[in-house]
Amino acid sequence: CAKLPETARSAIAKANRSQRFHSPEFRRATQLHFRRHVFRRKEFSPEMQISAFNETLYHRLWGPSEFLCTGSLKRFNAEPILRTIDVPTMFLRGEHDEVMKDTLSSFAQLVPKSQLKTLAGCSHLGYQEEPAAYLQTIRGFLRRLKRTH
């Protein structure tokens, strides 16, 4: 949200305060965020076009807006679980991802055998935006595991 223009940040803040998420300004801000940090391509693949987004589940877990967590994940803390992972793990994000690098880096630091990779030019849905680079990154990780184990 911090990388959005002031008009978008203002619309988001206003919607969060009022709990009204249907204004044209808020919708424009959300669309801008989505195009910059969630999915940077014009169209989804055919597989993604037929998949269903469960809005009820999203609202229950996260909340009414991408920018305001009020759902059951609000108090969820994965740190104790992350500390118990004892297998090689790769955290993968896009260069323009809505998941901040510092956030994912802090998760990776909790997992002893982990690494953090960033896909250049991608946002949150890197597997849709750059499927070849995404698969190459995963295959490279798995090949290195095979050589060392």
Side-chain angles (χ1 to χ4, degrees):
C1 188
K3 294 182 179 181
L4 294 176
E6 175 55 36
T7 54
R9 291 194 317 267
S10 177
I12 291 165
K14 182 179 178 183
N16 286 346
R17 282 191 307 275
S18 69
Q19 297 286 301
R20 293 191 180 111
F21 302 103
H22 301 292
S23 74
E25 298 81 14
F26 179 76
R27 287 178 191 253
R28 279 194 298 275
T30 300
Q31 289 169 348
L32 180 61
H33 170 80
F34 187 87
R35 284 193 308 272
R36 287 186 178 186
H37 303 293
V38 179
F39 186 69
R40 297 170 70 86
R41 298 273 182 194
K42 290 185 184 212
E43 291 186 15
F44 285 108
S45 69
E47 298 82 12
M48 284 292 284
Q49 290 176 9
I50 62 170
S51 67
F53 176 76
N54 189 324
E55 196 168 333
T56 302
L57 179 61
Y58 179 85
H59 287 178
R60 178 154 299 159
L61 291 173
W62 189 257
S65 159
E66 184 75 15
F67 312 104
L68 181 66
C69 185
T70 59
S72 61
L73 289 175
K74 183 175 183 172
R75 289 181 175 73
F76 179 73
N77 179 4
E79 287 184 16
I81 298 165
L82 292 172
R83 293 178 197 280
T84 67
I85 298 173
D86 192 32
V87 295
T89 304
M90 179 175 57
F91 290 87
L92 183 57
R93 65 178 295 279
E95 175 184 7
H96 306 287
D97 206 315
E98 65 181 337
V99 178
M100 303 304 296
K101 186 175 184 178
D102 291 347
T103 301
L104 217 50
S105 180
S106 70
F107 292 165
Q109 289 174 6
L110 297 173
V111 179
K113 300 174 187 173
S114 72
Q115 58 183 273
L116 172 62
K117 295 286 184 181
T118 299
L119 288 176
C122 292
S123 62
H124 194 63
L125 300 179
Y127 62 93
Q128 279 285 306
E129 297 166 332
E130 297 293 340
Y134 186 86
L135 288 173
Q136 180 182 8
T137 302
I138 292 173
R139 287 180 178 134
F141 173 74
L142 294 174
R143 275 194 288 281
R144 286 188 296 280
L145 283 181
K146 189 176 180 182
R147 284 195 301 264
T148 60
H149 288 84

